Amino acid sequence: MKRLAALVAACAVLVGGCGLNAGGRLPFEVGPGSIRPEPTLRDVPIRVGSKNFTEQILLAYIAEVALSAAGADVEDLSNIQGSNAVRQALEVGDLDLYWEYTGTSWINFQQQTVPIPDEQEQYDAVKKADLERFGIAWLRYSPVNDKYALATTREFAEQHGLKNMSDMVALLRENPSLGTFCMESEFINRQDGLLGAEKKYGFDVPDRNIKTFGVGAIYATLATGRTCNFGEVFTTDGRVLTLDLAVLDDDRKSFPQYNAAVTVRKEFLDRYPAIADVLEPVSAKLDNDVILELSVKIDGEGQDPAVVARDWLVKEGFVTVPAD
């Protein structure tokens, strides 16, 4: 209980707190759809966490709404700062589940430096290692793949016929002056970031051609087309759509796979195996296009992420909204 109190207190000082409020519940009720009431989950307390960015908070609410429809007593502990903090909270039992990415676990928690290019193989390796080393179980992974990528403006891509990173490298060999990049400092020095891409594609970006920004500023700066021609982005970030950026395909697969999946302590899943029955069909319906569309509703239109999550689950028939 002391650990949980500390977690809630830590969440309270973050921007926006943890979800609606630290340790809060959903602000609405949902009824069953294709997700039916599950007797083994009725009134079971389940604490759902997330990291502190839009996609993660959205995924947390999707899990919370789905589990609520099954009858669980869900507690919202989303919007926690940093991968390590959320993961530690899961390991020590302050959280019961959250969505994690295969690449994050492989690089950060398993401390591997060489990514596995194939999605299934990356997932299998992470699932096995996490279970053996940490007692963390992974539900089946979703098609959501929030990878690193390089992007440019739509206009620049069309002007130079750029569809993938090999096209970009060929262009820079012909005209090195066009190789200006906006990146965060961590990405520049990571083997699963710029260093790995340079090695895989056989190119080199001089330090003078790199402008360093925080992740959020990269999108807006890149969209102006003035400071840099290329920038680091994430494939499921809604700003890719709202700013009409052209994401270059990583055709040689230099960046790790970052498929999202629900992670849960094995002992908790062993007690309540119906969690997988509830969440895995939902996970299978998610993909990058869905996440992009829903993220735009949150970041672009200012909609409440809990409502966006509920409405998508209603649309897909997983849950219903009870009549007044």
Side-chain angles (χ1 to χ4, degrees):
M1 289 299 294
K2 288 181 179 179
R3 288 198 304 267
L4 179 57
L7 175 63
V8 171
C11 291
V13 302
L14 298 176
V15 176
C18 284
L20 299 166
N21 51 68
R25 262 66 179 179
L26 292 171
F28 46 70
E29 294 184 0
V30 292
S34 60
I35 296 174
R36 307 306 300 170
E38 171 53 56
T40 62
L41 293 180
R42 183 177 179 180
D43 297 327
V44 171
I46 300 180
R47 295 161 296 180
V48 179
S50 84
K51 307 174 196 184
N52 63 332
F53 56 90
T54 299
E55 178 181 310
Q56 274 276 302
I57 295 169
L58 171 65
L59 289 171
Y61 281 129
I62 286 174
E64 290 174 26
V65 174
L67 290 167
S68 294
D73 179 18
V74 176
E75 185 175 0
D76 174 45
L77 288 170
S78 59
N79 201 12
I80 300 170
Q81 188 171 20
S83 296
N84 291 338
V86 188
R87 171 61 177 239
Q88 184 179 18
L90 179 68
E91 289 182 8
V92 302
D94 289 342
L95 295 177
D96 297 313
L97 62 87
Y98 81 101
W99 296 75
E100 187 51 274
Y101 304 97
T102 53
T104 300
S105 179
W106 189 245
I107 301 298
N108 290 20
F109 308 142
Q110 308 303 330
Q111 298 181 330
Q112 300 292 323
T113 57
V114 180
I116 299 175
D118 181 77
E119 287 187 3
Q120 184 67 51
E121 291 178 5
Q122 179 72 92
Y123 167 78
D124 290 342
V126 165
K127 180 180 179 180
K128 182 176 185 292
D130 251 350
L131 190 61
E132 291 177 351
R133 294 186 61 194
F134 301 105
I136 300 297
W138 285 67
L139 303 192
R140 286 199 294 266
Y141 74 90
S142 75
V144 175
N145 194 345
D146 190 11
K147 295 175 59 176
Y148 282 129
L150 293 178
T152 184
T153 63
R154 183 75 54 191
E155 179 183 6
F156 189 88
E158 292 176 353
Q159 179 185 355
H160 297 283
L162 304 179
K163 294 182 179 180
N164 53 46
M165 289 176 59
S166 291
D167 293 339
M168 179 195 74
V169 171
L171 173 67
L172 300 187
R173 285 175 180 157
E174 293 179 5
N175 193 342
S177 65
L178 295 177
T180 52
F181 292 79
C182 288
M183 299 175 176
E184 61 171 336
S185 58
E186 183 179 0
F187 178 81
I188 296 168
N189 297 303
R190 286 176 64 126
Q191 289 295 330
D192 59 328
L194 178 61
L195 292 180
E198 288 177 324
K199 182 177 180 180
K200 193 79 170 183
Y201 287 91
F203 75 111
D204 179 68
V205 181
D207 290 343
R208 65 179 180 277
N209 286 7
I210 299 176
K211 308 296 181 183
T212 305
F213 293 91
V215 175
I218 291 174
Y219 292 84
T221 304
L222 180 61
T224 67
R226 293 191 296 268
T227 304
C228 48
N229 289 323
F230 303 96
E232 163 205 356
V233 299
F234 294 98
T235 52
T236 60
D237 194 298
R239 287 168 291 191
V240 169
L241 285 183
T242 57
L243 296 173
D244 194 28
L245 300 176
V247 176
L248 303 179
D249 180 51
D250 179 17
D251 52 305
R252 294 191 181 182
K253 300 187 182 302
S254 68
F255 300 131
Q257 305 299 323
Y258 279 86
N259 289 94
V262 173
T263 59
V264 56
R265 291 189 316 285
K266 181 180 183 299
E267 55 87 13
F268 193 79
L269 186 61
D270 287 345
R271 268 189 285 158
Y272 305 109
I275 289 173
D277 299 331
V278 172
L279 294 182
E280 286 186 336
V282 175
S283 176
K285 277 283 188 178
L286 292 165
D287 60 26
N288 283 12
D289 290 338
V290 170
I291 291 296
L292 281 167
E293 178 185 346
L294 299 184
S295 295
V296 169
K297 292 180 183 294
I298 298 167
D299 291 332
E301 302 173 14
Q303 295 188 33
D304 187 314
V307 174
V308 171
R310 179 200 63 189
D311 290 351
W312 178 77
L313 287 163
V314 169
K315 175 185 174 185
E316 294 296 329
F318 289 113
V319 307
T320 56
V321 177
D324 292 337

